[in-house]
Amino acid sequence: MSTTTESVPAAGVAGKLSALDRFLPVWIGAAMVAGLLAGRWVPGLDNGLNAVTVDGISLPIAIGLLVMMYPVLAKVRYDRLDTVTRDRRLLWSSLALNWVLGPALMFGLAWALLPDLPAYRTGLIIVGLARCIAMVIIWNDLACGDREAAAVLVALNSVFQVLAFGLLGWFYLAVLPGWLGLPQGGLAVSGWQIAKSVLIFLGIPLLAGYLTRRLGEKARGRDWYETRFLPKVGPVALYGLLFTIVVLFALQGEQITSRPWDVVRIAVPLLAYFALMWAGSYALGAALGLGYERTTTLAFTAAGNNFELAIAVAIATFGATSGEALAGVVGPLIEVPVLVGLVYVSLALRRRFTVVSR
């Protein structure tokens, strides 16, 4: 792999995007509003959407997530993953940001900004522990990050999520508050519950993407696969994203719209968290000389969170109408528009980096 200094004006990048990509913030905003209004005004919609679940997640959301992730994982060049695994700076930085800094930062923000709201505070801490393995694939791809690096870091997060989520939940909700003389809590979650979530929402689209590339290239060649097949399936990822957002917010529309001040209180530490994690990760990647693509991947994988897991755990432990569950629900309400905005910030910053060419 060679390195070149690439100067790409932000307007030039935006000009190459399709209408779907270029106006993505508009479509996402419309999807969020449509979901919220439907959840608020359509009687029984939440019960209908929750009639069938997959590992505690509504079946329509599960389908949307799988559809959303498959095209991006089909784009990954799996024969290049070894170049990512050899980059120890990227791997160790990702582990430190995701499993040391991220949970600690959310713990600090939750206690500093919600000292009088223990249920919301606990919900935010759970969000901070659930590292992203799904939507980050989309944000990274839209920002022209390194797909192969994203696949490796998401897989790494998945392994640590299975091993560390329950342990870190016990530490941040019971042990650390005890050391600091603060009220203590608890978290009831099994490693198998988390493993199932990882196997379903990452394992299935990852396997499908890998087999599609292997079989497609074997049958028709890489040129056909990348110039004919991928452009046809690529837009499906964004359709899946928009569908998922509509369903997600429809399920929680009444809860969000009926408690606006609570949503504002929860949103403040979330905004601070996403901004600090993304900017700090970007600064670290630039300081390490990772180049634009891998710096972008590092930033988005560190800033994003697995809201599906956080919501499922909060509901299973505290109940669907609990404050902890509401905090989990507000997570994507803030994360989605913020990270979409950061996609465009990344594209604007692209010309400042040494880009690792593919």
Side-chain angles (χ1 to χ4, degrees), residues 118-119 121-124 126 173 184-188 310-326:
R121 186 175 64 234
T122 297
L124 286 183
I126 294 173
L173 293 176
Q184 296 168 276
L187 186 65
I311 293 171
V313 169
I315 290 175
T317 304
F318 303 101
T321 59
S322 66
E324 291 85 354
L326 178 61

Side-chain angles (χ1 to χ4, degrees), residues 47-71:
N47 292 330
L49 292 173
N50 270 324
V52 181
T53 62
V54 177
D55 194 39
I57 300 296
S58 165
L59 179 61
I61 289 182
I63 293 172
L65 290 171
L66 295 176
V67 170
M68 174 184 74
M69 293 178 67
Y70 161 70

Side-chain angles (χ1 to χ4, degrees), residues 256-278:
I256 292 173
T257 55
S258 63
R259 299 155 82 175
W261 177 242
D262 289 358
V263 170
V264 171
R265 288 289 306 271
I266 297 168
V268 172
L270 282 169
L271 284 169
Y273 173 83
F274 293 131
L276 291 171
M277 286 298 295
W278 190 87

